[in-house]
Amino acid sequence: MFSRMAPRGRSGLGRSLAELGLLLLAILVLLDGTVLSLEAATSSEIDTHEGKPGTHKNTSKKSFPVLGIKYDDVSVPFEISLWVLLASLMKLGFHLIPRLSNVVPESCLLISVGLLVGGILKLARDEVPPVLSDRIFFLCLLPPIILDAGYFLPIRPFVENIGTILMFAVVGTLWNAFFVGGLIYAVCQIAQDKYSEIDLSNIGILPCLLFGSIISAVDPVAVLAVFEEIHINELLHILVFGESLLNDAVTVVLYHLFEEFMESGSVSAVDALLGLVSFLIVALGGVLVGAFYGILAAFTSRFTSHTRVIEPLFVFLYSYMAYLSAEVFHLSGIMSLIACGAVMRPYVEANISHKSHTTIKYFLKMWSSVSETLIFIFLGVATVEGEHHWNWVFLTSTVVLCLVARVIGVVGLTFIINKFRIVKLTTKDQFIIAYGGLRGAIAFSLGFILHSEHKRIFLTAIITVIFFTVFVQGMTIKPLVELLAVKKKHEAKRSINEEIHTRFLDHLLTGIEDICGHYGHHHWKNKLNRFNKKYVKKILIAGDRSKEPQLIAFYHKLEMKNAIQMVESGGGSKLNSTFPSTVSMQNIQPKIHSPPSARPSERALPQLTKGREEEIRQILRTNLQKTRQRLQSYNRHTLVVDPDEEGFDDLILKKRRMMELDWKVCKTSSHKSSNAIYSQAYVKPGAENVPTIKIDLASPQSPDSVRLLDEVVQDQGLTMSLPSSSSRAYKTSGKDDGRDQQKLLRCLSDPGPDVDDDEDYDDDEPVPT
Amino acid sequence: MGALKSTPAPTEHYDLSEKTGFSLRQIRVLHKRFKQLSEGDDVLRREDFLGISSLKYNPIRKEIIEAFFNRRNFSPSCEGRANEIDFEEFLVVMSHFKPPCSKMTDEQRKSIRREKLKFIFNMHDSDGDGLITLEDYRHVVEELLSRSGALGKETSRAIADAAMFEVARTVGHRDPDEFYEGITFEHFLKVRSQSALCFKKEEKWLIRCLMCGKGSRHMFLK
């Protein structure tokens, strides 16, 4: 099965992986089956052996077991690992079948797999393990996803739209809950289904409201899973996603509220008021708990410079503790997790090493990905497991009411919100927001832990709604987005220019506000930033880093990233440009400042003939002079550098030099070679006095550049030898170049932090989405 | 708006309202502020701006103040700098920060956006020659980083150079004979329009108090 895979191509590989997955399934089933029989066998033997010790002392003496099976001890971890392995293999398999993964979102496929597995297990053993118990879900599966979301939450768009998000989360969820709950009650009273064994009119108003509150919450897991694949613009993404995160507080409060009411049996006005107070406490309390743990984590990370290895552990542990502490007090665990991640991130990132940052990022992505996969599979299994009470009236009316409630809620709220927003939400936006209100596993788990007599019918309805939203809405949202031509996410990366422009605008607007005398939005933001810089950063960030303004940090990250890209691209000085540019740094000087004598010959010449050799020499000489000046100013670099980053200074210097040399030689390259990413010119050795410049697309280094590299690395001054003598220098400096390459590669054994982390939702290539 | 007396607006205000697009209420509020800043005078000078305490922390305060006195912001044909401005010119500069009305054609929106970008362009271009040269850009970056204190000129220079290089690269296939002297306004427009952020920024680029004209209670804090 695994022998001739390469020529078969991707689908072949996918098929074989699917086969492997099925094989694992079979193993799972068989194991469970054989376990039972084995257990029975061994236990009966032991029983008989110990039950009658006296009489059976010698009758049942077994020979020494050479090979035995003792599955009991490892059964739980073994099964867990098997499930996780199955989930991961399924995920692998889907992505290898491109046609399928383009049409159907991953969540649907995973639920289908879960259904399949559940079906097989049921057929094999007539009983399905209850895998989606609420404890596993809330304590193990949900936190990684939420932490991943909170840690990488793009703060700026989130805070800018916080009013809208809160409106949708709080008011929208409340509206949904009461609308669905109330109308379902009405439907139950009206509908009299003679054929169904359930008497719907038995269901009181409170259980209906409870049901409404469970089903009204938009689920972050489902939203994440679906929205990540459709790449809509940032605004819509943050609106729906933010809403799904923040409505947890509302859901928790409503759930507990209605449960209490159901226990006590009667509702009074005081209780309603207490409910409101409890909402505030739950929400704000959760955030405070999270912020507290976040600050603790930031403070701890300040001292970890000597034990870099356990840095990521602090991040994970403090966040998990925040979640658990919030759950202890019945506060909103999700909000506390989000707050913890968001608060600790800027400080922790300033303190930890690049490697720890990478570790945190990839661990979080990995855990959240596995969790998400498992949740969907278990959802499928749990569907098969439970006994369902089908009542068509109830089910269809639930689904319809949910949709209607969502649409009305979104439209109504947007009408109010648009009065206060600068960037109004268009109809298309509203449609996507309404359509993106997916329900997921949180609703299921909450329904699972109900103690109501109508639990079964509620659970069936919840599963129906989940299936409907995930399958129907999840599958159709991508074509709808295309159809409606919703604005997609801009793939453009953040550049230095934009960063500068952003800062400039911020300061400008703050200044104008001050001139107006109005204490506006920008004024308070500025005040918060100043407070942050003055006090908080000093406490939470170690050493010099606290003084580094954001622009510098951004610039460093960008440089690091570019340098790493450069090395990975084979050590050549490859520019990050999509088309070759014949601009050189020297060209950017305004004419007045350049030395007048060199001016006529500084013009680059696309083609050279014999008669221009003097000019060429002049060009190269002056260019060497210019780059020398530039290099010297960087030799005294006062960049704030993390002392633990080996080779960072060298990197920056090297990259600078590479860039300049590239600019210089690009200037002298021909227009015709515009297909190459870069083209180098090198002087052919062995020619006579006339240096002819030949264009060679494949040459790794120009001898000039190598020479310069050589010089600076050995820290001598620049020698001003003319190009005609370069042939000699070429051979000797080739070795140095190799050494430098190695040094660079060793220093950069890991990819650095992603520059656009805090602004993008894009994941890196190796991260599964 | 209880703080303001309900006297009938002078006729100049009507004219100004026509010209700049502010409502009468907003003009009244701004007039009051103008009077307060200029201490009763009819013209504002640079020193008056320096009196605003919260402006002290702003790293680009010089550019902002200069923007008020830059004649190019008053009308497209003027050149040079003024030493004192009157209320009308103050309003014209402030009108750059007005939010866009909902009922505007695309044409109007485009031209307003262009004006706003021209305003920023003028702020960057400190010597007024219509180009943002490397020196100008370096100056801007230095100012932005001036509040951090600890870092030397080299860093800001490096950043400015990198940024300039990025912009120059996007110009396209240039004749290598030419010098790239600086960013012209047209190029600036093009770069900004390619930037993903620009759309959001431009639309957020307003001062809320000017939006509704209220806030007289909060205003006039020095």
Side-chain angles (χ1 to χ4, degrees):
Chain A
M1 178 158 87
F2 297 95
S3 46
R4 296 264 180 274
M5 262 196 268
R8 273 203 272 166
R10 289 173 88 204
S11 53
L13 201 58
R15 253 179 266 128
S16 58
L17 269 169
E19 288 168 23
L20 186 62
L22 284 173
L23 192 69
L24 271 172
L25 264 177
I27 295 178
L28 191 68
V29 168
L30 282 172
L31 267 174
D32 282 339
T34 47
V35 155
L36 283 175
S37 53
L38 265 175
E39 271 181 22
T42 47
S43 58
S44 63
E45 270 189 32
I46 295 172
D47 273 344
T48 48
H49 195 79
E50 291 186 56
K52 305 159 198 172
T55 52
H56 284 256
K57 241 186 217 163
N58 294 321
T59 44
S60 54
K61 181 170 183 218
K62 299 185 295 189
S63 48
F64 188 78
V66 175
L67 194 65
I69 297 182
K70 199 139 190 248
Y71 182 66
D72 252 348
D73 293 347
V74 293
S75 69
V76 173
F78 195 86
E79 284 178 2
I80 293 177
S81 312
L82 217 52
W83 278 112
V84 178
L85 194 59
L86 175 71
S88 317
L89 284 172
M90 285 298 127
K91 220 171 149 80
L92 263 186
F94 296 144
H95 283 281
L96 288 174
I97 310 175
R99 265 188 53 223
L100 199 60
S101 51
N102 273 342
V103 172
V104 187
E106 210 174 270
S107 38
C108 304
L109 292 170
L110 290 171
I111 294 187
S112 320
V113 169
L115 284 173
L116 204 65
V117 172
I120 293 179
L121 281 176
K122 192 153 193 175
L123 286 174
R125 302 182 331 147
D126 207 25
E127 174 206 289
V128 173
V131 277
L132 200 59
S133 77
D134 62 300
R135 276 192 63 223
I136 296 181
F137 179 73
F138 280 116
L139 293 181
C140 305
L141 293 178
L142 192 60
I145 302 180
I146 304 295
L147 180 60
D148 179 39
Y151 196 76
F152 294 111
L153 194 69
I155 295 286
R156 228 185 145 105
F158 187 75
V159 170
E160 281 173 2
N161 291 303
I162 190 82
T164 316
I165 293 178
L166 277 175
M167 273 288 269
F168 276 126
V170 176
V171 180
T173 314
L174 280 173
W175 157 259
N176 274 352
F178 282 103
F179 188 81
V180 173
L183 284 188
I184 270 286
Y185 179 64
V187 165
C188 286
Q189 296 302 325
I190 299 173
Q192 295 291 342
D193 196 348
K194 286 176 278 207
Y195 300 102
S196 144
E197 63 266 17
I198 309 152
D199 191 6
L200 283 180
S201 52
N202 247 350
I203 308 178
I205 179 77
L206 275 176
C208 279
L209 283 176
L210 184 58
F211 173 69
S213 71
I214 295 176
I215 201 138
S216 62
V218 177
D219 187 77
V221 180
V223 164
L224 257 181
V226 169
F227 271 43
E228 255 184 5
E229 301 185 3
I230 61 179
H231 298 300
I232 50 171
N233 60 26
E234 200 179 57
L235 174 68
L236 285 179
H237 191 179
I238 195 71
L239 280 180
V240 181
F241 185 60
E243 177 198 345
S244 70
L245 290 175
L246 293 185
N247 68 15
D248 179 62
V250 181
T251 312
V252 164
V253 168
L254 279 180
Y255 185 81
H256 287 299
L257 209 63
F258 287 132
E259 249 197 338
E260 285 295 320
F261 289 167
M262 265 170 55
E263 304 275 312
S264 67
S266 64
V267 185
S268 65
V270 180
D271 290 331
L273 197 63
L274 282 179
L276 187 67
V277 173
S278 121
F279 165 70
L280 287 170
I281 292 181
V282 161
L284 292 175
V287 171
L288 280 175
V289 167
F292 172 67
Y293 275 99
I295 293 184
L296 270 184
F299 191 63
T300 313
S301 72
R302 187 181 164 182
F303 302 107
T304 55
S305 44
H306 298 290
T307 44
R308 293 266 180 213
V309 187
I310 54 173
E311 269 171 348
L313 202 59
F314 284 118
V315 171
F316 300 140
L317 283 175
Y318 275 113
S319 318
Y320 198 46
M321 293 280 292
Y323 179 75
L324 294 174
S325 315
E327 288 290 325
V328 165
F329 296 108
H330 268 206
L331 304 172
S332 165
I334 290 186
M335 289 185 80
S336 105
L337 208 47
I338 302 279
C340 183
V343 163
M344 82 171 140
R345 188 180 176 201
Y347 308 111
V348 161
E349 288 208 341
N351 282 333
I352 61 178
S353 69
H354 280 300
K355 293 200 170 88
S356 299
H357 174 98
T358 310
T359 310
I360 292 178
K361 176 174 168 184
Y362 279 106
F363 257 92
L364 279 179
K365 297 278 179 203
M366 180 186 79
W367 271 332
S368 71
S369 170
V370 168
S371 271
E372 193 182 298
T373 316
L374 276 177
I375 287 178
F376 283 117
I377 292 187
F378 286 168
L379 208 54
V381 173
T383 312
V384 178
E385 174 222 0
E387 36 166 306
H388 295 290
H389 289 194
W390 292 99
N391 185 318
W392 288 105
V393 176
F394 193 76
L395 294 178
T396 45
S397 50
T398 311
V399 173
V400 167
L401 280 175
C402 278
L403 280 177
V404 168
R406 177 88 181 148
V407 171
I408 298 180
V410 168
V411 170
L413 280 174
T414 319
F415 182 70
I416 303 175
I417 289 173
N418 266 347
K419 298 206 163 78
F420 298 99
R421 274 183 71 91
I422 312 159
V423 182
K424 315 268 182 214
L425 294 172
T426 66
T427 323
K428 266 194 249 175
D429 295 339
Q430 290 174 38
F431 177 74
I432 296 289
I433 295 176
Y435 208 67
L438 306 172
R439 287 17 179 214
I442 292 185
F444 181 80
S445 312
L446 285 175
F448 201 76
I449 55 182
L450 269 181
H451 297 302
S452 155
E453 55 193 66
H454 309 288
K455 175 172 164 181
R456 281 286 138 200
I457 188 171
F458 285 165
L459 217 49
T460 314
I462 292 175
I463 289 187
T464 316
V465 174
I466 294 179
F467 270 56
F468 181 81
T469 55
V470 172
F471 276 89
V472 174
Q473 285 178 243
M475 275 205 263
T476 52
I477 199 168
K478 194 162 186 183
L480 274 172
V481 162
E482 305 274 332
L483 196 69
L484 292 176
V486 177
K487 250 198 300 188
K488 292 275 188 102
K489 182 160 52 155
H490 267 276
E491 295 295 340
K493 305 231 171 184
R494 199 91 184 270
S495 68
I496 280 267
N497 264 309
E498 284 175 22
E499 185 76 16
I500 294 181
H501 189 67
T502 312
R503 308 250 155 261
F504 191 82
L505 268 183
D506 275 343
H507 287 300
L508 173 65
L509 291 173
T510 315
I512 296 286
E513 272 189 5
D514 291 332
I515 291 179
C516 281
H518 178 68
Y519 274 177
H521 182 66
H522 292 273
H523 180 95
W524 291 116
K525 205 160 81 159
N526 200 26
K527 262 210 158 141
L528 184 67
N529 279 339
R530 281 214 311 266
F531 171 73
N532 189 18
K533 198 170 8 179
K534 213 162 153 197
Y535 301 112
V536 181
K537 276 193 176 168
K538 287 223 171 83
I539 304 175
L540 296 180
I541 299 184
D544 260 346
R545 285 286 192 88
S546 57
K547 297 209 197 76
E548 194 177 77
Q550 208 170 340
L551 187 56
I552 309 269
F554 180 83
Y555 175 66
H556 283 332
K557 278 191 191 160
L558 202 56
E559 286 279 291
M560 189 77 170
K561 188 176 183 207
N562 282 340
I564 289 167
Q565 268 182 8
M566 189 178 68
V567 169
E568 280 180 352
S569 71
S573 39
K574 177 171 141 176
L575 274 179
N576 278 343
S577 56
T578 47
F579 50 87
S581 143
T582 45
V583 175
S584 88
M585 205 62 203
Q586 288 78 359
N587 267 352
I588 303 183
Q589 303 287 350
K591 278 186 175 149
I592 352 167
H593 295 300
S594 62
S597 59
R599 215 189 315 163
S601 50
E602 268 181 48
R603 314 280 168 122
L605 303 157
Q607 267 138 13
L608 303 158
T609 59
K610 198 167 182 174
R612 299 215 182 162
E613 54 160 323
E614 196 53 51
E615 283 185 88
I616 294 173
R617 284 212 199 108
Q618 186 77 308
I619 290 170
L620 290 171
R621 198 184 303 140
T622 46
N623 281 330
L624 285 175
Q625 256 176 343
K626 279 217 151 70
T627 44
R628 175 202 200 174
Q629 287 164 9
R630 193 155 291 286
L631 288 170
Q632 270 193 344
S633 73
Y634 289 118
N635 266 335
R636 281 186 290 123
H637 65 91
T638 51
L639 302 171
V640 175
V641 163
D642 186 359
D644 287 348
E645 298 303 74
E646 323 148 29
F648 185 67
D649 341 347
D650 293 337
L651 253 185
I652 293 291
L653 279 175
K654 200 171 282 281
K655 195 231 164 190
R656 272 273 139 228
R657 270 167 251 141
M658 296 274 216
M659 266 176 84
E660 278 129 32
L661 295 161
D662 213 25
W663 302 329
K664 164 178 74 80
V665 296
C666 265
K667 221 170 65 157
T668 57
S669 70
S670 146
H671 281 289
K672 294 196 203 99
S673 57
S674 48
N675 278 337
I677 297 294
Y678 72 97
S679 42
Q680 298 278 8
Y682 75 99
V683 177
K684 211 162 163 87
E688 325 96 23
N689 276 344
V690 180
T692 50
I693 297 195
K694 265 214 154 63
I695 314 300
D696 187 324
L697 298 176
S699 90
Q701 291 279 343
S702 118
D704 293 332
S705 60
V706 165
R707 215 176 348 118
L708 271 172
L709 223 46
D710 185 25
E711 275 143 9
V712 179
V713 162
Q714 294 168 3
D715 215 8
Q716 300 161 1
L718 272 182
T719 59
M720 298 293 288
S721 45
L722 287 174
S724 47
S725 60
S726 61
S727 46
R728 269 181 288 120
Y730 185 53
K731 294 202 197 73
T732 50
S733 12
K735 277 188 301 184
D736 292 320
D737 183 44
R739 258 192 286 123
D740 297 325
Q741 286 297 81
Q742 273 186 356
K743 188 166 151 205
L744 266 178
L745 285 169
R746 250 183 282 124
C747 298
L748 303 167
S749 51
D750 68 310
D754 216 1
V755 172
D756 25 44
D757 250 345
D758 42 359
E759 300 295 340
D760 267 0
Y761 282 87
D762 265 352
D763 288 339
D764 277 24
E765 248 326 279
V767 175
T769 44
Chain B
M1 298 279 285
L4 292 181
K5 293 178 272 208
S6 47
T7 52
T11 41
E12 306 99 64
H13 285 196
Y14 284 107
D15 297 334
L16 287 172
S17 167
E18 290 286 313
K19 186 173 171 195
T20 56
F22 280 121
S23 74
L24 280 179
R25 205 191 224 192
Q26 290 167 338
I27 292 189
R28 256 201 218 169
V29 162
L30 284 171
H31 189 73
K32 202 159 182 215
R33 178 64 173 166
F34 181 84
K35 283 289 178 195
Q36 195 198 21
L37 280 179
S38 66
E39 281 149 17
D41 253 348
D42 265 335
V43 288
L44 265 185
R45 292 185 194 78
R46 285 188 177 84
E47 303 83 54
D48 298 323
F49 280 106
L50 295 174
I52 305 175
S53 57
S54 35
L55 209 52
K56 259 203 305 251
Y57 292 111
N58 201 315
I60 53 170
R61 64 182 175 281
K62 278 205 221 87
E63 269 83 8
I64 298 178
I65 297 176
E66 277 307 306
F68 276 93
F69 292 94
N70 193 340
R71 279 231 184 81
R72 273 179 299 163
N73 289 331
F74 299 153
S75 70
S77 48
C78 288
E79 286 290 328
R81 300 188 173 277
N83 275 327
E84 29 187 65
I85 54 171
D86 64 0
F87 184 55
E88 180 176 336
E89 285 151 352
F90 180 74
L91 268 192
V92 168
V93 173
M94 278 304 196
S95 72
H96 288 285
F97 295 95
K98 215 168 23 81
C101 324
S102 41
K103 309 180 188 75
M104 264 205 297
T105 63
D106 261 342
E107 285 283 323
Q108 284 175 320
R109 245 186 262 269
K110 261 198 181 154
S111 75
I112 287 197
R113 223 178 118 234
R114 202 189 154 92
E115 267 174 41
K116 291 186 178 181
L117 284 174
K118 187 99 176 83
F119 185 78
I120 293 200
F121 185 80
N122 289 338
M123 280 186 77
H124 280 291
D125 181 20
S126 42
D127 50 8
D129 56 0
L131 285 174
I132 304 181
T133 59
L134 188 60
E135 283 307 317
D136 288 335
Y137 213 85
R138 273 191 191 148
H139 183 71
V140 167
V141 174
E142 266 171 43
E143 296 266 295
L144 278 179
L145 297 176
S146 62
R147 284 275 131 203
S148 62
L151 305 154
K153 284 187 95 168
E154 279 73 26
T155 321
S156 48
R157 218 178 236 208
I159 295 178
D161 291 346
M164 195 74 181
F165 185 67
E166 257 178 32
V167 174
R169 251 199 283 133
T170 64
V171 171
H173 236 12
R174 288 187 64 87
D175 213 358
D177 287 13
E178 286 174 50
F179 267 103
Y180 188 69
E181 290 168 12
I183 311 177
T184 61
F185 180 54
E186 293 309 322
H187 188 207
F188 188 75
L189 265 185
K190 198 166 67 148
V191 167
R192 283 293 137 235
S193 62
Q194 283 167 1
S195 141
L197 292 176
C198 77
F199 203 53
K200 266 199 311 194
K201 281 296 160 192
E202 254 91 73
E203 285 170 328
K204 290 191 186 300
W205 190 16
L206 73 130
I207 310 295
R208 278 184 198 270
C209 67
L210 293 178
M211 187 160 101
C212 31
K214 65 173 182 207
S216 56
R217 279 166 289 140
H218 308 294
M219 278 183 133
F220 315 139
L221 296 155
K222 262 234 172 173

